[in-house]
Amino acid sequence: MTISEFIVKDLRGRIQSRDALPERLTLPGLAQLYSVSLTPVRTAVAELIEDDIIRKQPNGRLAIPTSVRRTTVEPAERPPDWPSIVHQDAIRESLRGESQKWKINETADRYGIGRGLVQSIFQRLAGMGILEHEPRCGWRVRPFREDDLDAYLEVRVLLELKALDSCRGQLERDVLQRIREGNRPGRGATEPLIDNSLHQYWVGLSGNRYVQDFFERHSAYYTALYEYAAIGGRQLAKIASLHRAILSALLERKWRVARDHLVEDIESLRPILLETIRTLGEWQNS
């Protein structure tokens, strides 16, 4: 089922069941209701107009005909989240170190989705550094390389420390305290809580466009790998504790302690990703 087919079925059910609709039945209102662009909404509304479930009035406004028969309709099942599914598959391929070509037509056939959707997914993945576009050759998944990770971490440590040092006088206690409260190691049955916004906080405060450009260009790929990784409770608790240690040191103006903990936190990405790759290999070979 495509997203437009889902909207047709769901809107039909809402109208015939007299369920809640946007206060003003408009294309933008429906796009907001379904969290989609206007394109699938236009397609769905056109089909419902043809079936006389919705009518387009002379002034162009949409309305519900009084002749629509009231009935109980089973809720529509939302279609798969194809952007997330393709995203996850690309991440897995990247972590395996593969660099196969991804073609739009073949990908559309593989997942049973439209070429337009595939194109938009590819552009999003390219923006994150997961896919790379080769002129006249198509798209290719960026393969994970351990030496690339080491080079990235080396530069990230230098630039993030630079960012933190440059904005010491701008750090706000209430912001540091709020982020610290968002990081909790957890105890017993309580799951650890992680708030990674501390990194972006001082990178943003630094005002250094070149430092910010590095994080915008290169961090999205490794952030995507990090979010895919199955991080165990102990590791999450350690990350939360490191974050709290960084923020506590900053609140106490212990700059050297904060810097040391920050380096340890950044470099913790390496064992997390390498363990994810090892686990992925074991799963494939089992």
Side-chain angles (χ1 to χ4, degrees):
M1 177 185 292
T2 65
I3 188 65
S4 59
E5 290 171 342
F6 162 74
I7 294 172
V8 167
K9 186 173 181 180
D10 188 70
L11 261 183
R12 188 190 302 273
R14 285 172 181 265
I15 292 168
Q16 293 181 331
S17 302
R18 305 298 194 271
D19 285 345
L21 288 168
E23 187 174 340
R24 294 185 64 185
L25 196 62
T26 63
L27 296 180
L30 292 172
Q32 184 176 7
L33 176 66
Y34 292 105
S35 300
V36 296
S37 67
L38 290 174
T39 301
V41 171
R42 287 195 184 96
T43 302
V45 168
E47 182 172 334
L48 291 170
I49 289 175
E50 186 176 340
D51 293 344
D52 203 30
I53 300 296
I54 291 176
R55 284 183 185 169
K56 191 170 185 178
Q57 298 177 322
N59 60 6
R61 293 181 179 178
L62 302 177
I64 308 300
T66 56
S67 59
V68 173
R69 183 170 59 89
R70 181 165 186 166
T71 183
T72 301
V73 180
E74 288 188 11
E77 183 178 347
R78 196 173 185 91
D81 184 357
W82 291 116
S84 293
I85 292 172
V86 178
H87 175 110
Q88 295 291 309
D89 288 347
I91 288 290
R92 277 191 290 271
E93 186 170 308
S94 177
L95 286 169
R96 288 195 293 264
E98 299 176 3
S99 184
Q100 298 179 5
K101 287 185 179 180
W102 278 35
K103 297 182 179 180
I104 290 179
N105 288 341
E106 291 177 358
T107 303
D109 292 341
R110 185 192 321 161
Y111 295 100
I113 56 180
R115 293 178 71 256
L117 178 57
V118 173
Q119 181 74 36
S120 67
I121 293 172
F122 278 14
Q123 290 173 346
R124 176 173 172 270
L125 294 178
M128 300 174 69
I130 298 171
L131 282 188
E132 298 173 335
H133 186 255
E134 299 178 354
R136 298 182 299 278
C137 294
W139 303 82
R140 189 181 295 276
V141 171
R142 171 182 173 179
F144 174 84
R145 296 286 184 262
E146 192 173 334
D147 55 353
D148 278 350
L149 172 62
D150 291 339
Y152 163 76
L153 292 176
E154 180 181 359
V155 176
R156 177 179 169 181
V157 166
L158 293 172
L159 293 183
E160 193 162 338
L161 289 176
K162 172 72 174 177
L164 180 59
D165 289 342
S166 69
C167 66
R168 288 181 181 182
Q170 299 171 262
L171 297 172
E172 301 177 56
R173 292 188 64 83
D174 59 338
V175 176
L176 296 175
Q177 290 169 342
R178 175 176 52 79
I179 300 175
R180 184 177 63 179
E181 287 307 304
N183 288 276
R184 299 185 181 182
R187 293 181 180 178
T190 305
E191 293 291 324
L193 292 178
I194 302 291
D195 182 348
N196 276 312
S197 64
L198 68 167
H199 303 288
Q200 188 55 47
Y201 176 52
W202 40 73
V203 169
L205 278 181
S206 73
N208 188 318
R209 61 184 294 183
Y210 299 103
V211 172
Q212 293 167 349
D213 183 69
F214 169 81
F215 284 89
E216 290 172 3
R217 285 176 179 268
H218 302 290
S219 287
Y221 171 70
Y222 291 103
T223 298
L225 299 186
Y226 173 85
E227 291 175 348
Y228 173 84
I231 306 175
R234 283 188 179 181
Q235 186 67 44
L236 286 173
K238 180 181 178 182
I239 294 170
S241 296
L242 277 172
H243 286 178
R244 290 184 67 87
I246 296 166
L247 296 159
S248 295
L250 291 175
L251 286 165
E252 297 170 16
R253 302 179 68 82
K254 295 180 178 178
W255 309 117
R256 181 175 296 179
V257 174
R259 285 168 57 92
D260 290 344
H261 286 311
L262 178 58
V263 172
E264 184 180 357
D265 177 53
I266 294 171
E267 292 180 344
S268 69
L269 178 64
R270 189 179 198 278
I272 288 172
L273 291 185
L274 296 184
E275 175 62 19
T276 300
I277 292 169
R278 184 189 64 79
T279 304
L280 185 62
E282 291 179 350
W283 176 80
Q284 286 180 298
N285 296 327
S286 62

